[in-house]
Amino acid sequence: MSLPILMTVDDDPSVSRSVARDLRRRYGQDYRVVRAASGADALDALREIKLRGDAVAAILADYRMPQMDGISFLEQAMDLFPHARRALLTAYADTDAAIQAINVVDVDHYLLKPWDPPEEKLYPVVDALVDAWRAAGQQPVEETKLIGHRWSSPSYLVRDFLARNSVPYRWYSVEEPEACRLLDAAGATREDIPVLITPDGTVLRKPGGEEIADAVGLSTRPAEEFYDLIVVGGGPAGLGAAVYGASEGLRTLLVERKATGGQAGQSSRIENYLGFPDGVSGAQLTDRARRQAQKFGAEVLTARDVVGLEARGSGRVIKFGDDTELAAHSIVLATGVSYRALEAEGVARLTGRGVYYGSAATEAPECSGEHVYIVGGANSAGQAAVFFSRYAKDVTIVVRGPSLQASMSHYLIEQLEAIDNVRVRTGTTVVEAHGDDHLEALTLCDASGQRETVPTGHLFVFIGAAPRTEWLGEAVVRDEHGFVCTGPDLVVEGQRPKGWSLDRDPHHLESSIPGVFVAGDVRAQSVKRVASAVGEGAMAVTLVHRYLEQQ
């Protein structure tokens, strides 16, 4: 087979020669370096490469080129090689413009020119690109087929599960002739939808999460019977705990109910996370963190619902929904929070059929030229508005409060103000959702009580969150909102929590069960930010070590 390709595109001959020389010096034995003098020439070369069946690992494109800039080129290159990793070469003077443009296309890195010395500035970036490509892009895509109805809530849930777990699939609406042919070949009917057909021909009718995970190759069964550390929840806090636990030699298992990343994994762009000046999508950050955890040896289980927790001697036992159990020396609870339900007439009936909780990226193409409404005033709502503004005719943010300033970051408010097709309606609530098979309109009510019915087929809800902690039972102390209390909050007037068995106070992130630690949004008094969640996950592992040393 031919060597995979690293492509560099720059209209400046001296820069083009320089980057090609540096790439060949470091990667020449394992990759073929191809350079082009313009976006058009590069696209012609990529089409030939596609016809030959060769692989492209990474593309480095100059931002400022005549006729076709780097962003426009990369958008078209993605259609030919969607799994090739992408970096933008930019001069210092163009940094701001490049960063803004990067939000339009899913670029992995940008690189300032000049990059001397390459050992410090160029090679670490390219190393990250090729590592990511090897992990996800080198193997041919085996396509899973999903047949369903656009306005079917079960169909939406399967699409969302596949997308959030990075499973390649092709969607067929049941109204399409090809969908009917596939149903006939599978021996299924319209009554069976959603129908999932795996690359090996396995047919699943109305499948659930664990059944889908097993069929598409996600891990759902633990490899061992006992672990040093079990992390429950795969959001930023859980992923942080898994990375640090596994990297420090603990036999670590991460258990996730739906898909790693949590609410942060659904974010279209996180722009205030340390080390990513051009922003990073939640999906990108999640993918890197998951691969990092697995590189250190952490095991990841998907689509497993934890429904119970108890202490048995020195062991800590979690119970799954299928009545099986798994034990460890210690537990980190990082289950995060779930979006609160919007209490308005018609919303529950239309959820998954035009009404969605969180940033349902799978619905973005369906929003083209449409009116989109977003309920909520925090960062997640603002990030969703920026994302959907690229597809929709217009986006309206509906906020109950008088402004966005109290709950949304300043940088995001400025972004929204600069987008022509985004508007904010303050002092307004959604009181009713209308539609038969799917959402067709909303009734809004302003602070004066005036009501207005507006047409829309898409409503995305971000109205705060509540923890999923009912399954913990009485042994784990929680506050009045269900968040788990830890450390000093458990010691009231010098009294340790009821049932506490150790001759010491609980550690800072330790719950009322010794050896069970809590990190991220589910912890009472936590800061609801991605960076703090990752930090708490790492800190929890430090306290796990301290707990284990004391046993």
Side-chain angles (χ1 to χ4, degrees), residues 9-64:
V9 189
D10 200 305
D11 65 308
D12 186 326
S14 63
V15 174
S16 180
R17 287 192 297 269
S18 176
V19 68
R21 178 200 65 218
D22 288 341
L23 290 175
R24 290 192 182 100
R25 184 191 307 162
R26 174 70 171 259
Y27 306 99
Q29 289 188 338
D30 300 314
Y31 296 87
R32 183 157 58 95
V33 177
V34 174
R35 63 189 182 100
S38 70
D41 289 347
L43 288 173
D44 288 340
L46 288 174
R47 293 186 186 101
E48 291 184 17
I49 293 167
K50 188 78 172 180
L51 290 174
R52 292 198 304 266
D54 292 339
V56 177
I59 304 171
L60 288 76
D62 184 42
Y63 172 66
R64 182 177 291 190

Side-chain angles (χ1 to χ4, degrees), residues 259-328:
T260 51
Q263 288 187 11
Q266 296 178 279
S267 175
S268 57
R269 182 67 54 177
I270 303 169
E271 297 192 66
N272 58 354
Y273 188 68
L274 185 67
F276 291 88
D278 54 342
V280 60
S281 73
Q284 278 185 313
L285 190 63
T286 296
D287 177 64
R288 294 176 184 181
R290 181 177 57 244
R291 289 190 286 109
Q292 192 174 18
Q294 292 174 321
K295 180 186 78 170
F296 287 123
E299 191 180 335
V300 179
L301 298 189
T302 305
R304 296 302 302 271
D305 199 8
V306 179
V307 299
L309 168 68
E310 66 178 70
R312 291 184 192 164
S314 62
R316 301 294 177 262
V317 180
I318 59 171
K319 300 179 181 181
F320 294 111
D322 60 1
D323 293 328
T324 59
E325 298 180 344
L326 200 58

Side-chain angles (χ1 to χ4, degrees), residues 1-166:
M1 290 182 63
S2 300
L3 293 175
I5 290 167
L6 299 177
M7 173 175 277
T8 173
V9 189
D10 200 305
D11 65 308
D12 186 326
S14 63
V15 174
S16 180
R17 287 192 297 269
S18 176
V19 68
R21 178 200 65 218
D22 288 341
L23 290 175
R24 290 192 182 100
R25 184 191 307 162
R26 174 70 171 259
Y27 306 99
Q29 289 188 338
D30 300 314
Y31 296 87
R32 183 157 58 95
V33 177
V34 174
R35 63 189 182 100
S38 70
D41 289 347
L43 288 173
D44 288 340
L46 288 174
R47 293 186 186 101
E48 291 184 17
I49 293 167
K50 188 78 172 180
L51 290 174
R52 292 198 304 266
D54 292 339
V56 177
I59 304 171
L60 288 76
D62 184 42
Y63 172 66
R64 182 177 291 190
M65 294 187 293
Q67 283 80 53
M68 183 186 298
D69 64 29
I71 293 294
S72 300
F73 160 69
L74 287 173
E75 283 187 297
Q76 296 184 52
M78 287 170 63
D79 294 334
L80 294 167
F81 290 93
H83 294 287
R85 313 317 292 184
R86 302 165 292 277
L88 199 66
L89 305 175
T90 180
Y92 183 80
D94 294 327
T95 300
D96 289 342
I99 290 172
Q100 292 174 16
I102 283 170
N103 290 325
V104 177
V105 62
D106 204 7
V107 172
D108 297 285
H109 293 275
Y110 78 91
L111 186 67
L112 285 175
K113 299 186 291 186
W115 50 81
D116 291 329
E119 290 76 13
E120 294 181 11
K121 298 182 178 180
L122 175 64
Y123 297 151
V125 170
V126 180
D127 285 346
L129 294 176
V130 298
D131 284 348
W133 177 77
R134 286 195 196 104
Q138 190 172 12
Q139 301 300 320
V141 176
E142 294 185 321
E143 194 174 79
T144 296
K145 300 177 178 65
L146 175 62
I147 304 154
H149 194 287
R150 177 186 174 188
W151 299 119
S152 158
S153 181
S155 297
Y156 162 71
L157 291 174
V158 177
R159 292 176 68 186
D160 187 58
F161 180 88
L162 294 172
R164 292 185 61 190
N165 282 286
S166 302

